[in-house]
């Protein structure tokens, strides 16, 4: 199955900009360890994953009454917090949840990707 | 339904679901096929006689149904051409096999039904349905919701299991105790719904509480050394043992102090006392959840072993609550502690212990405060608290009790 993991909020972690360079280094190491843990795990693959720009850099696209409107907001509730994502291939939800313990303790949301077949 | 069929459904349903799920991994097909098999048995057993291995009979018929359905699906989607034949070739896990395989499948089923990614209310209903074979109709009745509502809730939970990829698996040793704690919590939620319904005409729904006890027992049989499940089984047995004494012939609430102790179920009490002295719980380093259940069970055991309300060792009850409040300083524990303090040291001490305790929207704190004020001789203040409690109470039997107290106190 494919899973989209949204890194939603810092949770109890200090914000990135509020951390010292050493603390940021520890976080980066956790992301690298997550990558290695996924690689080492049977049936698991990171299909994609990026950090996203801050919420105020997002753009909203909506179509209302046939007219496409591009605006700076209003955002979905998540956007002010959405910090990054992974697209994972994994055998089941528990494998994903277990691997996510390697990441920094963000608030996350795991959504299964709908299988079109 | 013949008695024998009733018995097999009651005792073997979870194992049958687990076995079929282990083989086919199709929750949707497995449950329907098993229901079909039970229906076929109800039709045929009265005439043909009950087979030698009734559970095996049901398993075989259900397995054929699933394979038939998979074949039909295969015809519909050519791309799955190999699925059905592959399934036919795999040897069946024998129902007669007393080994660990079937038990592990049952544990997998329990863990799947009580996965933390499912809403807790839906998870406990799903466990009653799939592990114990309680019908959707009965589950709806037990949880006091309309049958279509419960059917929709169960369907949603099953769909989430499939869509989110919630596994039919036992997690590794490190994660298992935490998951068993969730299982216990889910079962306790069902028990509480039967023990203290928040609304409706009945004070107790012992049938639901009884099913929840059966669920705890079933899971604990699979992991007898687990402290959380052992402590919870002791707790629910002790609470459940009082069911016949908690309501009088007119359906009115009977408080613990006035209950006819001769109507308590001694067999269940003795079983619980045995659990409380078992190696899983004695001198063991307990996780917080297990310790919470254990302390509540120890309180219930003090009541169960006191020959009368007057001989209750309230000082020991207070000590257990002191420990409980340290672990879980929630309002429910603080309220229970205040009641015990009042019994041990008098109503004024109880009122002091109740200071600052509040459960928004619940009648229980003002009801207890009213009782303690009345015992201190402060009838006016007690009446005001009773009115507060009556404004919040949604359970009819408890309302009747509060109204009686109000009539007693009113000038």
């Amino acid at each position: 199955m494919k899973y989209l993991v949204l890194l939603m909020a810092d949770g109890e972690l200090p914000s990135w900009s509020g951390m010292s360079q050493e603390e940021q280094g520890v976080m980066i190491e956790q992301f690298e360890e997550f990558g290695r843990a996924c690689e080492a795990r049977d049936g698991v693959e990171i299909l994609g994953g990026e950090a996203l720009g801050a919420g105020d850099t997002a753009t909203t696209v909506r179509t209302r009454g046939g007219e496409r409107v591009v605006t700076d907001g209003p955002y979905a509730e998540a956007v002010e917090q959405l910090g990054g994502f992974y697209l994972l291939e994994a055998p089941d939800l528990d494998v994903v949840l277990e691997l996510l313990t390697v990441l920094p303790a963000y608030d996350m949301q795991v959504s299964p990707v709908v299988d079109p077949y | 339904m013949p008695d024998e069929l009733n018995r097999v459904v009651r005792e073997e349903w979870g194992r049958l679901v687990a076995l079929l799920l282990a083989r086919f991994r199709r929750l949707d097909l497995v449950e329907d096929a098993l229901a079909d098999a039970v229906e076929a048995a109800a039709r045929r057993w009265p005439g043909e006689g009950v087979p030698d291995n009734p559970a095996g009979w049901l398993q075989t018929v259900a397995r054929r149904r699933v394979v038939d359905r998979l074949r039909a699906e295969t015809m519909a989607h050519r791309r799955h051409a190999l699925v059905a034949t592959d399934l036919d070739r795999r040897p069946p896990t024998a129902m007669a096999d007393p080994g660990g395989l079937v038990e592990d499948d049952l544990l997998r089923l329990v863990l799947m039904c009580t996965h933390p990614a499912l809403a807790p209310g839906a998870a406990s209903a799903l466990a009653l349905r799939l592990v114990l074979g309680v019908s959707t109709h009965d589950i709806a009745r037990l949880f006091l919701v309309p049958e279509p509502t419960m059917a929709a809730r169960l369907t949603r939970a099953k769909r989430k299991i499939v869509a989110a990829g919630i596994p039919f698996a036992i997690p590794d040793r490190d994660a298992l105790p935490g998951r068993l704690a969730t299982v216990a919590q889910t079962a306790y939620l069902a028990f509480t719904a039967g023990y203290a319904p928040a609304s409706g005409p009945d004070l107790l729904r012992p049938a639901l509480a009884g099913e929840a006890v059966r669920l705890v027992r079933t899971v604990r049989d699979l992991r007898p050394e687990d402290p959380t499940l052992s402590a919870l089984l002791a707790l629910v047995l002790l609470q459940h043992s009082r069911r016949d004494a908690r309501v009088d012939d007119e359906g009115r609430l009977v408080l613990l102090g006035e209950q006819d102790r001769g109507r308590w179920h001694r067999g269940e009490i003795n079983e619980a006392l045995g659990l409380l002295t078992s190696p899983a719980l004695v001198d063991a380093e307990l996780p917080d959840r297990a310790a919470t259940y254990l302390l509540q069970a120890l309180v219930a055991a003090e009541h169960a072993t006191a020959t009368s309300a007057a001989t209750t060792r309230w000082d020991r009850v207070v000590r257990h609550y002191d420990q409980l409040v340290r672990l879980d300083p929630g309002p429910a524990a603080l309220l229970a502690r205040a009641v015990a303090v009042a019994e041990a040291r008098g109503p004024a001490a109880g009122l002091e212990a109740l200071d600052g305790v509040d459960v928004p929207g619940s009648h229980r704190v003002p009801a207890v405060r009213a009782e303690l004020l009345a015992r201190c001789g402060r009838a006016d203040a007690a009446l005001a608290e009773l009115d507060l409690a009556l404004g919040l109470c949604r359970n009819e039997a408890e309302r009747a009790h509060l109204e009686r107290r109000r009539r007693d106190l009113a000038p």
Side-chain angles (χ1 to χ4, degrees), chain B residues 181-329:
Chain B
T182 312
V183 172
Q185 205 177 352
T186 309
Y188 193 43
L189 191 75
F191 181 82
T192 322
Y195 186 67
S199 65
D202 306 326
L203 190 69
L204 272 182
R205 282 176 281 136
L208 175 54
E211 293 293 5
V213 173
R214 189 155 72 94
L215 183 60
V216 178
R217 192 194 292 285
T218 303
V219 187
R220 187 193 167 263
D221 282 349
L222 301 173
R223 280 291 182 281
E225 74 287 357
D226 183 77
T228 310
L229 294 169
S230 298
L232 179 61
L233 182 57
L235 172 61
V236 294
L237 280 170
L238 286 164
Q239 289 177 345
H240 197 53
S241 73
R242 297 187 207 132
R243 62 192 168 280
D244 295 337
R246 281 175 50 97
V247 183
D248 69 12
D249 295 338
E250 275 89 60
R252 285 183 304 201
L253 171 71
V254 183
L255 295 176
L256 181 62
E258 281 115 45
Q259 287 175 13
D260 173 1
R261 293 174 185 231
R263 300 181 72 181
W264 291 358
H265 291 250
R266 284 289 143 194
E268 291 168 19
I269 290 172
N270 290 334
E271 186 187 350
L273 296 177
L275 284 165
L276 291 176
T277 54
S278 68
L281 294 179
V282 175
D283 296 328
E285 186 70 32
L286 297 184
D288 279 2
R289 172 78 56 186
T292 312
Y293 293 139
L294 175 64
L295 288 165
Q296 293 177 79
L298 289 172
V299 168
E302 286 297 335
H303 296 306
T305 52
T307 47
S308 67
T311 59
T312 308
R313 293 176 292 187
W314 285 106
D315 54 328
R316 296 176 58 147
V317 174
V318 171
R319 274 212 300 280
H320 294 318
Y321 276 129
D322 285 343
Q323 278 182 277
L324 186 62
V325 164
R326 269 200 293 278
L327 273 176
D328 168 26

Side-chain angles (χ1 to χ4, degrees), chain A residues 1 3 91-94 97-98 112 117, chain B residues 79 115 117 162-167 179:
Chain A
M1 292 182 64
Y3 291 91
D92 63 49
L93 181 62
D94 280 4
L97 295 176
E98 189 199 318
Y117 301 108
Chain B
R79 67 191 193 86
H115 196 280
V162 176
I166 291 174
R179 290 293 308 282

